[in-house]
Amino acid sequence: MDRTLAGKRALVTGSTSGIGFGIATELARAGCNVVLNGFGDAEAIKALCVRLAQEHSVEVIYRGADVSIGAECRAMVADVEAQAGPVDILVNNAGIQHVAPVEQFPAEKWDAVLAINLSSAFHLTAAALPGMRTRGYGRLINIASAHGLVASREKAAYVAAKHGLIGLTKVVALETAGAGITCNAICPGWVLTPLVEAQITERMAQESRDRRAVEQELLREKQPSGEFATPEQIGALAVFLCSATASSITGASLPVDGGWTAQ
Ligand code: NAD
């Protein structure tokens, strides 16, 4: 087993589910201690921590900060560093979606999407960087999206937030260059998670079609590979970005999208 990240600690936001949990799992497999964050049933989250820790012989803790609130983001980093130890790797993954035409887009949904998908990364990065600079090692990984590179209809807030996250990634990469720290964005295409599940269910209801037909349509519209990307694939790329081999990759936006953004 390749334990290249043994002794490091990663904070992965939104890791009680989907892509975040996939990333946390691959980091743990590489020997990294993990801080899970996100919403969910308390007992189920406790069981998730125990399972991850036992399967990969790493330390796993949970912090339930609501990352839509800047002060909670900053307090979470301070608390983890005080209680558990340094945050060497920060994965800004928490995200939500809302789909509506711009004229009908509820202002409170706009605010929530921007706060969770973009502003949280600003607050968490600002809080984690001083320690990374002192130690001369840090990895900041922002989970953007194909929607950080191109747009789709009815996703104004999400597309704006993800384009913003790629901009933030580039700025942080410039400000940390030469300090042993890298900052990159991963841009997934369709990945079958609860976030996409909600969009599938909505289309099934609107158009009275079965799941298979809707899934095929989503892929046909955007993703030439015809296959969903997986949380494990995104996690494996995150592990690579944390390695010494990847130390010259910074400020990059890396699509994992089956060709979506090549079109
Ligand atoms: P998901 O719904 O499965 O997981 C989202 C996670 O974020 C959950 O753990 C949830 O509890 C957490 N979360 C939501 N609001 C939060 C808050 N205020 N504070 C703390 N945690 C919060 O979604 P996913 O598909 O795994 O998405 C993860 C990331 O990947 C998101 O940033 C999303 O935009 C991005 N992404 C997903 C896809 C896809 O196809 N699924 C594609 C491109 C990008």
Side-chain angles (χ1 to χ4, degrees):
M1 204 192 317
D2 191 1
R3 311 256 310 163
T4 49
L5 299 178
K8 302 270 191 256
R9 176 171 288 96
L11 166 57
V12 185
T13 66
S15 48
T16 51
S17 158
I19 292 172
F21 186 66
I23 293 170
T25 303
E26 295 311 309
L27 289 168
R29 198 188 307 286
C32 193
N33 299 315
V34 172
V35 184
L36 296 181
N37 158 260
F39 298 145
D41 173 70
E43 285 307 311
I45 292 171
K46 204 184 280 178
L48 220 53
C49 291
V50 170
R51 205 182 78 213
L52 207 55
Q54 282 175 351
E55 279 178 6
H56 302 291
S57 307
V58 294
E59 190 184 293
V60 180
I61 60 170
Y62 167 72
R63 290 294 183 273
D66 178 346
V67 303
S68 70
I69 300 165
E72 287 203 22
C73 293
R74 290 173 187 260
M76 175 162 64
V77 173
D79 174 52
V80 169
E81 299 213 312
Q83 302 297 321
V87 174
D88 304 297
I89 296 161
L90 169 65
V91 184
N92 290 307
N93 166 79
I96 58 166
Q97 174 65 282
H98 186 79
V99 180
V102 73
E103 306 96 301
Q104 283 130 44
F105 211 96
E108 67 276 13
K109 291 288 185 196
W110 170 274
D111 290 343
V113 172
L114 269 286
I116 294 167
N117 297 38
L118 176 58
S119 300
S120 67
F122 158 67
H123 292 292
L124 286 154
T125 300
L129 266 181
M132 291 178 178
R133 284 192 195 279
T134 305
R135 294 183 296 277
Y137 172 89
R139 292 290 186 267
L140 299 152
I141 300 175
N142 295 324
I143 306 305
S145 167
H147 284 119
L149 300 167
V150 296
S152 293
R153 303 162 54 88
E154 304 193 349
K155 294 187 175 174
Y158 190 82
V159 169
K162 295 300 190 181
H163 276 68
L165 189 55
I166 288 180
L168 175 67
T169 302
K170 292 177 184 175
V171 172
V172 174
L174 292 179
E175 292 185 7
T176 56
I181 299 167
T182 67
C183 180
N184 292 289
I186 297 178
C187 301
W190 291 122
V191 182
L192 211 43
T193 67
L195 183 140
V196 168
E197 190 63 38
Q199 295 172 65
I200 291 175
T201 318
E202 203 176 308
R203 279 208 200 188
M204 284 167 67
Q206 275 170 4
E207 297 160 25
S208 312
R209 278 175 323 131
D210 70 19
R211 155 173 299 277
R212 178 93 187 128
V214 172
E215 282 184 11
Q216 289 307 311
E217 185 183 72
L218 285 183
L219 292 168
R220 211 169 32 246
E221 278 173 6
K222 301 286 186 186
Q223 200 144 304
S225 65
E227 287 172 4
F228 289 98
T230 67
E232 293 74 20
Q233 292 169 344
I234 314 281
L237 178 54
V239 170
F240 172 67
L241 288 173
C242 294
S243 70
T245 315
S247 65
S248 288
I249 303 177
T250 195
S253 305
L254 305 165
V256 184
D257 66 2
W260 178 328
T261 55
Q263 299 169 97

